[in-house]
Amino acid sequence: MLENVLFPVKCSESLNRLTEMAGFLKIFNTKSVSILHVGSAKKEKQKTFVEALKTAVLNLGFQADVTIKNGNVVDEIITMAREKNTSFICFAYKEENPLKRALFGDVPTDVIRLSDIPVFVYKGPPPFKKPQTVSRVMYTTGLSDTDIKILNYLKSKELKADELLLFHAGRRAPDPQAEAERIEKVHERLSLLEEQCRGSFSSIEKRDAVGSSVTKAIVSQAKKADIDFIVLGKSDKYSPFQMMAGSTAETLPHKSKCPILIVPGIYQGIASMT
Amino acid sequence: MKKNIVFVVSLCIVLVLVGIGILDPEFLNSVSSLLHQWIINTFGWFYLLSTFVFLVFSIGLALSRYGKIKLGLDYEKPQYSYFGWFSMLFAAGMGIGLIFWGVAEPVSHYMSPPGYIQAFSGEAAKFAMSRSFFHWGLHPWAVYIVMSLSIAYFSFRRGMPPLLSSCFYPIVGERIYGVTGKTIDILAVFATVFGIATSLGLGALQITSGLAFVFHLPDTLFVTAIVITCVTVMFMISSMTGLDKGIQLLSKTNIMIALVLLVFMLVTGPTAYIFNVFTSTLGDYFSSLLSMSLTSNPFQGYEWTKNWTLFYWAWWIAWAPFVGLFVASISRGRTIREFVSGALMVPTLLTFLWFSVFGGAGLNLQINEQIPISDAVADNISTALFVLFSHYPLSSLLSFVAVLLLIVFFVTSADSATYVLAMMTSGGNRNPSPAKKIAWGVTVSATSLILLMSGGLESLQRMSIAAALPLVVIMLFLVWCILKGLMYEFREKDSSL
């Protein structure tokens, strides 16, 4: 399902961390890694860097190839993903100054916004902690059509996780009665999702929260429930505020402490698996 | 006790402030002046911007797909006829103020415009009329609309108690029943009590002036005290008969009297001149609406803007909880589009006509007939209308009718305020107990009377305007809350949560 990955890298990144991320990809049963570096191919240092990474990836048991391109980084990533028909794109998240991000932009955020295939954002373990394992997965559902597509992924045997937390963060209804009805509907839909995921996980839990910031609710819930990995759907409908500040999918990688897989609603790769 | 917390706390606050006003009016005066000046100096621009936002929001909402949503359940029909509805809107919103300022405001602007306009010039007259339209036109009604629409939507469509705090459910949830909600309701009661007490005090002064003109009664505080007492008895009786009978009947009667007076003045006065004033000012008003809405004259004339425009904006906002709740309670069953267009256009048009007729007639006396009506305005602003009448046929009858109008508008304002205060302090009960109506009626009248005598009425007015600052923030949140509520309806239709 997520067999081949596009792996855009920068020479300023730590080789160890990128290798660590490649190791993490095994939970998806990924087979081949396409390493992409966008920059000047003439610089010897860059060539050496990507070749070293290729060797490290091959040593982990993946097939690997390297491409070095010139041009706009985001455009090249999206074009290459389409050309190579990769299953998903992955990034090793690097903490950036928010002001710098606002002024100069941020490649992962732009790729998340533009990509029509899933994007995986790797967040390494905190310092002095052992490498991450995936035991508890949280699927943050908008209770929309995207669920059908993501369910297939969650149910696939390739995702090696034991426990699933189905989480919905919604907006409060305008009055107590409507709110009670909304909560009832949310519980019904979460139960339906639980029913469909049964058998794929040893335990499934359902939770919901209310608030104006979905990102905040997800981060807080992931922390509370000690989540290892978040799966999130991406909507193409933006509110005026989201147009300015970014959608949940775009803002979550900057706030979350654990890795995230963002799946676009129109993603055909997953839909075709149904 | 817990059930009556809003009633007890707000009554205590009112009594403490009135007590200070009686014991040490100077202290109340200096504190309120300081507070008022600081707020207007620091946040004047914020009032301008917010009021403009309310106007844009109201028009935008009426034109949007949300305009079709009913303030009530889908099958409900409007409770009152158009005539009854408009009459009550007008009577509660600004009836008494229009009688007071109809002549006085344009003449005041004509003789004391901001520094960049020469006083007593043609430019000053043009400015005077367009600013009178501006201060009493679309903006005040937009302020009222935001408040009343929110309350009507959340109470009639979403089934919550008709309280200001109910509108905050989409943001704060169950906390509307806690400290947050109670604080919002107490603030609304506070602004209403002081707003209505001040208005009644000023209204009583004008009635006294009118009585002095018509019946040659002495223009003294003793007569004003008798006026307040008599009117209190009248509005208490009206209040006991309920919304359907008392207020509606009085409002309809008043609008009819006002229209007769308007037509009489139009016919016997300089008709063509008045229509010229009306059409020209209408043109000026609409062509400069955007600049007027956002100009605070920071380079020259800021004092004028502070004393007039910013004062009015703060005043309308301070009045908004009372008018908003009242207007909401009479608007059940109307669609948002019908509500906004009705409340925005009809009272505004009537106000424009009123100012054109009375302000135009006053300016005509001053400019064309060389009768210095500006002296009367400078001397005692509440006599301006009666001085104008003295230059018209049947002047005594006109003055008598104007006094009658003032009394009835006074009664309808006080009656609706009593109803609203009792409702706000009864957890939103639409049929509040007569005891609470009496308690608030007596409190408002006594406050007005005592502070008029101790000289603390203006301090009270400034305190009520100070309450406009938190209220304007509350109203901006109301815009957000109502949008959240309306968007939920459409989301629900799309069955996405």
Side-chain angles (χ1 to χ4, degrees):
Chain A
M1 189 182 292
L2 298 174
E3 283 171 351
N4 48 337
V5 59
L6 180 66
F7 202 164
V9 293
K10 279 194 292 187
C11 290
S12 56
E13 288 178 280
S14 146
L15 195 62
N16 285 343
R17 193 168 143 76
L18 291 174
T19 315
E20 183 188 295
M21 180 174 82
F24 188 87
L25 296 179
K26 294 215 162 187
I27 69 152
F28 302 133
N29 210 16
T30 302
K31 300 270 189 310
S32 75
V33 177
S34 299
I35 299 165
L36 170 69
H37 178 262
V38 183
S40 168
K42 286 175 190 164
K43 287 183 184 170
E44 205 53 42
K45 188 187 162 195
Q46 292 168 356
K47 269 189 178 172
T48 318
F49 178 81
V50 286
E51 284 305 328
L53 180 62
K54 184 184 172 185
T55 312
V57 168
L58 286 169
N59 289 342
L60 285 168
F62 294 104
Q63 295 167 15
D65 59 85
V66 169
T67 311
I68 297 177
K69 284 192 163 191
N70 286 314
N72 178 286
V73 182
V74 177
D75 286 349
E76 291 304 330
I77 293 171
I78 299 290
T79 312
M80 174 104 175
R82 280 187 190 140
E83 278 172 7
K84 288 221 156 206
N85 200 20
T86 54
S87 320
F88 69 115
I89 303 167
C90 73
F91 289 98
Y93 184 80
K94 193 182 167 207
E95 190 78 49
E96 295 267 21
N97 181 327
L99 186 65
K100 192 178 162 194
R101 211 165 59 219
L103 285 173
F104 299 106
D106 176 59
V107 173
T109 308
D110 287 343
V111 171
I112 290 168
R113 183 167 50 85
L114 297 171
S115 170
D116 49 11
I117 58 170
V119 177
F120 172 68
V121 181
Y122 177 72
K123 295 248 177 172
F128 313 114
K129 290 237 172 153
K130 57 181 181 181
Q132 280 158 309
T133 50
V134 174
S135 153
R136 284 174 67 76
V137 175
M138 177 164 94
Y139 170 42
T140 57
T141 167
L143 300 175
S144 59
D145 298 341
T146 318
D147 284 346
I148 305 162
K149 294 165 184 174
I150 295 178
L151 265 179
N152 292 291
Y153 167 69
L154 287 173
K155 283 155 68 179
S156 86
K157 286 186 180 128
E158 290 153 359
L159 182 66
K160 293 158 190 158
D162 301 326
E163 296 162 46
L164 174 69
L165 172 64
L166 294 168
F167 177 65
H168 172 73
R171 274 165 287 185
R172 188 183 279 113
D175 65 80
Q177 200 190 332
E179 176 63 2
E181 284 165 13
R182 185 192 71 85
I183 291 172
E184 204 183 314
K185 266 189 205 172
V186 167
H187 288 171
E188 266 174 32
R189 299 245 202 130
L190 285 177
S191 299
L192 210 68
L193 280 177
E194 182 191 22
E195 199 62 42
Q196 287 170 308
C197 292
R198 190 159 287 156
S200 305
F201 297 89
S202 60
S203 84
I204 301 174
E205 203 183 332
K206 298 166 295 183
R207 289 188 196 176
D208 69 284
V210 71
S212 48
S213 167
V214 176
T215 306
K216 219 170 154 183
I218 296 171
V219 172
S220 148
Q221 195 56 237
K223 196 179 169 190
K224 257 190 234 168
D226 198 18
I227 292 297
D228 302 316
F229 179 47
I230 298 173
V231 180
L232 175 78
K234 187 185 90 172
S235 165
D236 287 328
K237 286 178 192 165
Y238 287 79
S239 70
F241 178 75
Q242 285 177 331
M243 282 177 197
M244 298 291 293
S247 66
T248 307
E250 288 163 42
T251 53
L252 190 63
H254 304 295
K255 309 274 181 194
S256 167
K257 300 281 179 213
C258 54
I260 306 158
L261 181 70
I262 296 151
V263 184
I266 53 162
Y267 176 51
Q268 296 305 310
I270 284 177
S272 64
M273 304 298 286
T274 41
Chain B
M1 174 70 183
K2 208 174 175 182
K3 202 177 149 194
N4 281 319
I5 190 95
V6 175
F7 177 67
V8 175
V9 174
S10 40
L11 195 62
C12 287
I13 295 175
V14 170
L15 292 178
V16 166
L17 278 168
V18 171
I20 297 171
I22 297 165
L23 299 172
D24 195 349
E26 276 306 306
F27 173 73
L28 187 67
N29 188 39
S30 58
V31 170
S32 65
S33 292
L34 219 70
L35 193 65
H36 176 249
Q37 279 305 316
W38 180 75
I39 288 176
I40 294 282
N41 278 330
T42 319
F43 296 103
W45 61 271
F46 183 53
Y47 286 153
L48 274 184
L49 208 57
S50 306
T51 312
F52 182 64
V53 166
F54 299 148
L55 180 63
V56 172
F57 171 73
S58 307
I59 296 171
L61 203 60
L63 298 176
S64 73
R65 61 178 180 166
Y66 302 127
K68 287 179 192 163
I69 292 176
K70 258 197 181 164
L71 299 173
L73 302 172
D74 286 333
Y75 59 82
E76 281 185 282
K77 295 266 184 286
Q79 204 177 347
Y80 299 98
S81 66
Y82 274 116
F83 182 57
W85 186 57
F86 288 133
S87 303
M88 287 193 278
L89 271 183
F90 202 72
M94 48 183 59
I96 199 163
L98 269 188
I99 313 274
F100 193 93
W101 289 109
V103 180
E105 179 159 347
V107 174
S108 289
H109 297 337
Y110 176 66
M111 59 186 198
S112 328
Y116 58 89
I117 292 172
Q118 197 193 340
F120 297 100
S121 64
E123 191 62 25
K126 188 178 160 189
F127 175 86
M129 285 310 298
S130 66
R131 293 299 152 141
S132 301
F133 273 32
F134 174 54
H135 292 154
W136 294 79
L138 295 170
H139 293 72
W141 286 101
V143 170
Y144 292 160
I145 282 170
V146 167
M147 186 67 83
S148 47
L149 187 70
S150 312
I151 296 170
Y153 174 77
F154 283 98
S155 55
F156 302 141
R157 186 144 183 105
R158 314 281 358 164
M160 299 184 72
L163 294 170
L164 187 51
S165 56
S166 301
C167 310
F168 286 82
Y169 187 84
I171 301 182
V172 299
E174 300 295 316
R175 276 175 289 168
I176 58 161
Y177 305 116
V179 179
T180 313
K182 302 291 178 217
T183 309
I184 293 170
D185 289 333
I186 289 169
L187 186 72
V189 173
F190 173 85
T192 305
V193 172
F194 289 171
I196 200 76
T198 329
S199 183
L200 293 190
L202 296 176
L205 284 177
Q206 201 187 15
I207 292 174
T208 314
S209 299
L211 290 174
F213 242 84
V214 183
F215 301 110
H216 306 290
L217 290 172
D219 194 348
T220 61
L221 271 180
F222 178 69
V223 178
T224 309
I226 293 173
V227 167
I228 291 181
T229 312
C230 293
V231 171
T232 304
V233 173
M234 286 163 73
F235 81 70
M236 296 300 266
I237 294 168
S238 166
S239 175
M240 292 304 140
T241 57
L243 202 65
D244 289 330
K245 290 177 189 162
I247 301 177
Q248 194 183 183
L249 182 72
L250 286 174
S251 302
K252 281 181 176 173
T253 313
N254 231 19
I255 286 294
M256 282 197 269
I257 298 173
L259 287 174
V260 168
L261 191 64
L262 192 80
V263 171
F264 180 85
M265 291 294 288
L266 185 65
V267 172
T268 57
T271 314
Y273 182 83
I274 287 170
F275 276 120
N276 276 324
V277 168
F278 176 70
T279 50
S280 310
T281 314
L282 204 60
D284 285 342
Y285 175 76
F286 283 113
S287 62
S288 58
L289 189 63
L290 189 64
S291 70
M292 279 196 295
S293 302
L294 298 171
T295 299
S296 63
N297 296 316
F299 310 114
Q300 195 182 7
Y302 186 60
E303 273 305 307
W304 187 93
T305 311
K306 259 171 40 182
N307 293 338
W308 286 98
T309 308
L310 299 181
F311 175 86
Y312 269 124
W313 276 197
W315 184 242
W316 300 132
I317 292 163
W319 265 68
F322 148 57
V323 181
L325 245 163
F326 179 73
V327 170
S329 63
I330 58 169
S331 305
R332 187 174 192 142
R334 298 197 184 274
T335 63
I336 289 179
R337 189 165 298 143
E338 190 184 5
F339 173 81
V340 174
S341 49
L344 210 53
M345 288 195 295
V346 178
T348 301
L349 188 67
L350 193 55
T351 303
F352 287 175
L353 277 170
W354 188 273
F355 269 106
S356 301
V357 170
F358 288 89
L363 290 175
N364 178 56
L365 283 186
Q366 179 83 34
I367 298 167
N368 299 329
E369 298 184 29
Q370 312 300 323
I371 296 167
I373 198 162
S374 56
D375 291 350
V377 173
D379 183 41
N380 181 358
I381 210 156
S382 59
T383 61
L385 181 70
F386 305 110
V387 173
L388 174 76
F389 285 154
S390 66
H391 298 280
Y392 274 75
L394 306 171
S395 65
S396 297
L397 180 67
L398 288 179
S399 297
F400 175 76
V401 171
V403 170
L404 191 71
L405 262 181
L406 275 169
I407 292 173
V408 185
F409 271 136
F410 193 122
V411 171
T412 46
S413 291
D415 184 353
S416 40
T418 309
Y419 169 75
V420 162
L421 284 169
M423 191 163 74
M424 281 199 274
T425 51
S426 310
N429 181 357
R430 286 191 188 98
N431 295 304
S433 70
K436 273 206 179 131
K437 284 188 194 171
I438 291 170
W440 282 120
V442 170
T443 306
V444 164
S445 295
T447 305
S448 177
L449 182 61
I450 293 167
L451 291 179
L452 201 61
M453 289 181 160
S454 72
L457 197 68
E458 283 187 19
S459 313
L460 197 67
Q461 188 175 29
R462 286 193 286 266
M463 291 303 281
S464 122
I465 286 174
L469 183 63
L471 274 174
V472 77
V473 178
I474 284 178
M475 287 181 68
L476 287 170
F477 275 107
L478 281 185
V479 169
W480 185 23
C481 288
I482 189 140
L483 276 177
K484 277 180 93 96
L486 295 172
M487 282 194 283
Y488 180 84
E489 296 222 2
F490 279 84
R491 261 210 324 272
E492 207 182 23
K493 272 182 198 165
D494 300 340
S495 78
S496 164
L497 297 160

